[in-house]
Amino acid sequence: MNGTQVSLDNPKSLSKLSDDDFQALLLEGVSRTFALTIPQLPNELYGAVANAYLLCRIVDTIEDEVSLSPEQKRYFCSEFINIVKTGVNSEPFAVELAPLLSEQTIPAEHTLIHVLPRVIEITHKFDPAQVEALATCVETMAQGMPIFQAQDLSAGLSTLADMDRYCYYVAGCVGEMLAKLFCHYSPEIDQHRDQLLKLSVSFGQGLQMTNILKDIWDDAQRGVCWLPQDIFTEVGFDLKTLTPETNDENFRTGLEHLISIAHEHLHNALVYTQLLPSNETGMRNFCLWALGMAVLTLKKIKQNLHFNDSDQVKISRKSVKATIITTRLIGRSNFMLSLLFNTVSRELKTPDWNYSLPTSTCNPTDIDAPEGTLSSTDSQTQRTNHV
């Protein structure tokens, strides 16, 4: 191995690396965003959160692999759940799955599957409570995602409640896992455990809804739509007719309504972040950077409702840098964070609109804001928030 350059193109070369460097290199390959945000966390959390993301990415890789049949996906997901729980049989699993991946799976994910045994080895170095949090998340995701993958999604999901469930399986359960890891890390944070667990699901949904809205047209080209038909039925648009050439005012009104819902979830994400101790600047940055980038993405969508390509609503590197600088400057102040959020996101709300069939129980008015925050419920759309 002497003289061999460490590279994702050569999975065997990664054995040279420490656990942290190994996971950091994999993160850079599969997600630039998380490669940026996860290192902001305290050292005691970095390893577990990085590992958690890689485990979730393995589930994503299985679910997104076009060469696998639904039966194969269910099989590999079921096997992977057991591997994460027990730590055994990871080697034969990787050997079985790796050759089945097609060229449509990115090279970094091919490498991730090849080195899966070491990822699992790292998982089982953590405290049992951390392992339980990771395994529960993987189980929820791996059992829930196939339910939707097996559906005909060409005409969207039936209801917003269906979108809620989908978002929970792909992002809300990840939020729950992070809340559990944060509570395990800090007794002070654990005092807010129940509230954080509720808010974390909403946090995940806000981020996932932002991605869904940004990627509408990329998904449409694959014959997939994650939008809820009932939201568009209200305004007189049928998602069955949706194409990249769609130019319909009713469709854009439906998008505005979904943006308003996503905005409420992101407000809950802000409250979640404000519950973290102000001196935990790394944890706050981890949350605020994701939140800030989501808000800016929603703003670009709201300002460009005629967009027909995700590149048209991607935020610039300049915006990312501005988000990082701003949150570093004011991230310790709940008052300033609320003021900034309310100012920047004001245009995302749809005044005088209520979703007619509320289906869940988490409403911003039901959540006690931490001391030092500005309440924004007086200016928010008055509807039940979906978690």
Side-chain angles (χ1 to χ4, degrees), residues 191-265:
Q191 294 176 11
H192 303 288
R193 183 182 185 89
D194 291 343
Q195 194 174 2
L196 287 170
L197 284 172
K198 281 185 180 180
L199 290 165
S200 67
V201 177
S202 192
F203 197 154
Q205 177 151 352
L207 298 181
Q208 187 62 29
M209 285 186 71
T210 301
N211 285 334
I212 287 172
L213 292 168
K214 173 177 66 71
D215 294 333
I216 288 170
W217 304 115
D218 293 351
D219 291 335
Q221 289 180 350
R222 300 185 295 110
V224 172
C225 178
W226 295 105
L227 303 176
Q229 178 60 61
D230 62 342
I231 292 293
F232 291 89
T233 298
E234 274 190 346
V235 296
F237 183 81
D238 188 345
L239 289 175
K240 292 187 181 71
T241 67
L242 184 65
T243 71
E245 290 73 41
T246 294
N247 182 11
D248 187 286
E249 192 60 36
N250 292 337
F251 174 69
R252 289 188 283 274
T253 300
L255 287 186
E256 289 183 317
H257 290 174
L258 286 175
I259 289 169
S260 186
I261 295 169
H263 166 264
E264 291 186 31
H265 284 296

Side-chain angles (χ1 to χ4, degrees), residues 83-211:
I83 288 168
V84 175
K85 286 182 176 180
T86 65
V88 301
N89 294 326
S90 60
E91 190 78 42
F93 178 88
V95 170
E96 184 178 6
L97 177 59
L100 301 179
L101 300 182
S102 67
E103 292 183 359
Q104 291 191 39
T105 293
I106 63 172
E109 289 179 344
H110 279 265
T111 297
L112 177 59
I113 300 304
H114 279 289
V115 300
L116 182 151
R118 186 172 178 190
V119 174
I120 296 297
E121 179 185 328
I122 294 171
T123 303
H124 285 270
K125 292 180 180 179
F126 301 130
D127 183 274
Q130 294 174 302
V131 176
E132 190 277 333
L134 270 59
T136 298
C137 176
V138 167
E139 182 172 22
T140 300
M141 181 179 289
Q143 289 181 341
M145 287 177 65
I147 295 172
F148 289 90
Q149 293 285 357
Q151 297 178 15
D152 178 3
L153 297 168
S154 58
L157 298 165
S158 295
T159 67
L160 183 60
D162 293 321
M163 178 187 249
D164 292 348
R165 282 189 287 272
Y166 171 70
C167 289
Y168 175 71
Y169 288 136
V170 299
C173 66
V174 178
E176 286 181 323
M177 173 197 64
L178 289 172
K180 291 175 184 177
L181 292 177
F182 290 177
C183 289
H184 177 269
Y185 159 78
S186 165
E188 182 180 357
I189 295 173
D190 193 45
Q191 294 176 11
H192 303 288
R193 183 182 185 89
D194 291 343
Q195 194 174 2
L196 287 170
L197 284 172
K198 281 185 180 180
L199 290 165
S200 67
V201 177
S202 192
F203 197 154
Q205 177 151 352
L207 298 181
Q208 187 62 29
M209 285 186 71
T210 301
N211 285 334

Side-chain angles (χ1 to χ4, degrees), residues 24-81:
L25 186 60
L26 286 170
L27 282 173
E28 288 175 13
V30 298
S31 174
R32 291 182 181 178
T33 299
F34 283 100
L36 175 70
T37 60
I38 292 177
Q40 304 309 308
L41 293 169
N43 290 335
E44 298 91 333
L45 276 170
Y46 171 81
V49 175
N51 188 261
Y53 182 81
L54 294 176
L55 295 175
C56 292
R57 191 66 179 220
I58 290 168
V59 178
D60 285 341
T61 300
I62 295 169
E63 285 299 331
D64 292 341
E65 177 50 61
V66 295
S67 71
L68 296 178
S69 68
E71 293 74 20
Q72 286 176 305
K73 290 180 180 181
R74 283 193 292 270
Y75 163 74
F76 282 114
C77 280
S78 177
E79 289 296 303
F80 188 59
I81 290 169

